[in-house]
């Protein structure tokens, strides 16, 4: 138990508090992820096409409002904004318990996606204010490990609801998710307050939207984030449509990925300490992702045992590439954000996640299911090209830094 705690949770103090907040809401999210589709169809009574449309619209709106909500966290204080957005997410999830029509569902989904996007940016700004710069990547690695631990626990609880298959079981899962965000807000409220940077001077708003080098870095990172729908959408479709491997392997590979990140993300992140090492980590990630795609491509040619062996081997290299990408992108995303604008810039950087999750499934379905082996090789080449481009793009962005912080200090201060 002590070894598990050291691998997942950071040292006692502010970082441990941030980790407990992450663990709280990720348990609820894990249960939500594995049950939401069936809940919205079987309990709410919506058609799958309408669910897809509603969630696409909601996350599109969420990606847009993440930047102004991140800016609000910078100006008004990230702790208070994070607490409010965690509570807003709690309300959004709780409202799913009573909605039974498309329009209320769409409103609740938009609130959920907007609050989640803003909460992610506000928490990054809070971390930047509470954790010294040299410790941020390690702290984010701990949070990622904690996130995966919570998702695994929540997914197991969601699995119990799926096994029961009753409306009461599904409602219990959504109630758990709502309570988890209330608990997250409570933990965040107990953290030290970070002094806000105050009002912007005239014309300083939307600075991140005019920062072209940072936009290029964000775009490149969005391409690399296609690894996220690869695990949740691309591989399941590939396994069921193009291989002879058993369908239960989809769940096993998810557990493998979650467990590996939980145990090894912190150790992997230790190789990253600045922009040069972040660029090297991303190049290594690109090479590993190319190899991964090649391994997965072979899984479509053999029998069940051969397919399973290739899929497991590819999943192992996939999680290594994923952890290296995470560590490198965290460092770059923070290092290139001006002091005093962490929330705004992280809100923009985080839009890559939404875009990858929204556009990724269609792209991956076209490449993998439609083109087969050639699609895997094209995807691997895309990962490698983006990973190799990130280092030069980050150096260009660092050399062209023209957006100053609008506060006299160079960092957030903690209010005693």
């Amino acid at each position: 138990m002590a070894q598990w705690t050291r691998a997942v949770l950071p040292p006692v103090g502010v970082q441990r508090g941030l980790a407990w907040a992450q663990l709280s809401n990720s348990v609820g999210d894990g249960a939500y992820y594995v049950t939401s589709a069936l809940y919205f169809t079987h309990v709410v009574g919506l058609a799958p096409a309408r669910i897809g449309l509603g969630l696409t619209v909601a996350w599109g709106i969420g990606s847009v409002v993440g930047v102004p909500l991140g800016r609000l966290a910078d100006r008004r204080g990230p702790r208070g904004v994070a607490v409010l957005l965690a509570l807003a997410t709690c309300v959004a999830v709780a409202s799913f318990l009573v909605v039974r029509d498309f329009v209320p569902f769409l409103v609740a989904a938009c609130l959920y996606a907007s609050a989640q996007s803003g909460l992610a940016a506000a928490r990054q700004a809070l971390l930047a204010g509470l954790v010294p710069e040299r410790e941020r990547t390690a702290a984010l690695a701990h949070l990622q490990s904690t996130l995966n631990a919570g998702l695994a626990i929540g997914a197991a609880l969601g699995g119990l609801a799926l096994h029961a298959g009753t409306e009461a079981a599904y409602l219990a899962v959504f109630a758990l998710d709502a309570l988890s965000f209330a608990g997250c807000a409570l933990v965040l409220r107990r953290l030290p307050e970070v002094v806000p940077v105050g009002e912007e001077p005239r014309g300083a708003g939307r600075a991140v939207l005019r920062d072209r080098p940072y936009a290029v870095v964000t775009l490149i990172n969005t391409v690399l984030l296609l690894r996220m729908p690869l695990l949740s959408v691309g591989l399941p479709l590939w396994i069921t449509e193009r291989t002879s491997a058993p369908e239960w392997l989809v769940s096993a590979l998810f557990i493998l990925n979650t467990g590996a990140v939980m145990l090894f993300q912190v150790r992997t992140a230790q190789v990253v300490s600045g922009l040069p090492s972040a660029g090297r980590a991303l190049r290594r990630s690109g090479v590993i992702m190319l190899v991964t795609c090649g391994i997965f491509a072979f899984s479509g040619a053999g029998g069940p045992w051969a397919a399973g062996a290739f899929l497991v081997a590819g999943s192992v290299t996939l999680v290594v590439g994923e952890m290296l990408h995470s560590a490198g992108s965290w460092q770059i995303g923070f290092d290139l954000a001006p002091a005093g604008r962490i929330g705004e810039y992280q809100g923009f950087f985080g839009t890559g996640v939404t875009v990858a999750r929204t556009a990724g499934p269609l792209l991956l379905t076209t490449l993998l299911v439609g083109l087969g082996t050639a699609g895997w090789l094209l995807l691997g080449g895309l990962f490698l090209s983006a990973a190799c481009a990130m280092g030069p793009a980050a150096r260009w962005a660092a050399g062209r830094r023209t957006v100053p912080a609008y506060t006299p200090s160079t960092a957030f201060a903690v209010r005693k």
Side-chain angles (χ1 to χ4, degrees):
M1 184 66 180
Q3 183 178 3
W4 180 90
T5 301
R6 287 193 298 271
V8 177
L9 294 177
V12 175
V14 167
Q15 293 188 42
R16 178 67 63 89
L18 290 167
W20 280 121
Q22 180 76 80
L23 182 64
S24 175
N25 73 256
S26 62
V27 169
D29 274 347
Y32 170 86
Y33 291 151
V34 300
T35 59
S36 58
L38 291 178
Y39 173 80
F40 291 134
T41 54
H42 294 173
V43 178
V44 179
L46 297 176
R50 304 199 86 183
I51 296 172
L53 172 63
L55 293 178
T56 299
V57 171
W59 283 109
I61 293 174
S63 66
V64 172
V65 303
V67 174
L69 288 175
R71 189 184 309 125
L72 180 66
D74 292 331
R75 295 174 60 185
R76 301 300 183 187
R79 189 191 70 173
V81 173
V83 169
L84 289 175
L85 290 172
L87 292 175
T89 309
C90 170
V91 171
V93 175
S95 68
F96 285 134
L97 295 169
V98 296
V99 300
R100 292 296 182 270
D101 200 4
F102 178 71
V103 173
F105 161 75
L106 180 61
V107 173
C110 288
L111 175 60
Y112 175 81
S114 299
Q116 282 273 52
S117 298
L119 177 59
R123 287 165 76 155
Q124 298 291 67
L126 181 61
L127 182 145
L130 297 177
V131 178
E133 184 176 352
R134 65 183 181 277
E135 300 176 16
R136 288 176 189 167
T137 297
L140 285 165
H142 278 294
L143 292 180
Q144 186 73 0
S145 296
T146 307
L147 170 67
N148 278 265
L151 290 176
I153 296 170
L157 296 174
L160 295 177
L162 292 176
H163 179 72
T166 64
E167 180 176 344
Y170 287 121
L171 292 175
V173 165
F174 275 74
L176 171 66
D177 195 16
L179 289 173
S180 75
F181 279 97
C184 172
L186 181 62
V187 175
L188 291 172
R189 183 66 182 82
R190 296 171 62 88
L191 292 173
E193 185 177 356
V194 174
V195 177
V197 295
E199 295 295 328
E200 302 169 318
R202 185 178 299 276
R206 298 180 295 278
V208 68
L209 302 180
R210 300 192 298 268
D211 192 339
R212 285 182 292 178
Y214 198 84
V216 171
V217 168
T218 300
L219 177 61
I220 294 172
N221 192 57
T222 301
V223 174
L224 296 173
L225 284 168
L226 289 173
R227 62 171 176 76
M228 299 175 69
L230 176 61
L231 183 65
S232 60
V233 178
L235 266 180
L237 289 176
W238 171 259
I239 290 172
T240 56
E241 299 291 331
R242 287 280 196 153
T243 78
S244 57
E247 293 184 1
W248 57 261
L249 196 59
V250 172
S251 176
L253 296 182
F254 179 83
I255 294 172
L256 170 64
N257 181 274
T258 303
V261 173
M262 180 180 69
L263 293 174
F264 301 111
Q265 180 68 78
V266 174
R267 184 179 302 177
T268 304
Q270 292 174 354
V271 304
V272 176
S273 58
L275 286 180
S277 57
R280 289 192 295 271
L282 285 164
R283 286 194 297 273
R284 289 171 57 193
S285 171
V287 173
I288 292 171
M289 291 301 295
L290 176 62
V291 172
T292 296
C293 290
I295 295 173
F296 282 142
F298 279 109
S299 66
W305 285 101
F310 279 117
L311 288 167
V312 171
S315 296
V316 171
T317 57
L318 171 63
V319 76
V320 175
E322 172 186 339
M323 291 188 293
L324 285 169
H325 166 239
S326 294
S329 64
W330 293 332
Q331 188 76 41
I332 288 172
F334 267 111
D335 280 7
L336 296 179
R341 294 188 181 273
I342 298 293
E344 178 183 356
Y345 270 64
Q346 284 296 311
F348 184 75
F349 198 68
T351 60
V353 175
T354 305
V355 173
R357 284 178 170 167
T358 303
L362 177 60
L363 174 63
L364 294 178
T365 300
T366 302
L367 285 176
L368 307 183
V369 179
L371 299 180
T373 299
W376 277 113
L377 297 180
L378 286 172
L379 182 62
L382 183 63
F383 280 130
L384 179 61
S385 299
C388 291
M390 181 63 93
R395 290 193 295 273
W396 173 52
R400 292 283 298 275
R401 173 58 57 218
T402 59
V403 183
Y406 53 85
T407 175
S409 63
T410 58
F412 285 108
V414 178
R415 184 172 292 164
K416 302 299 183 181

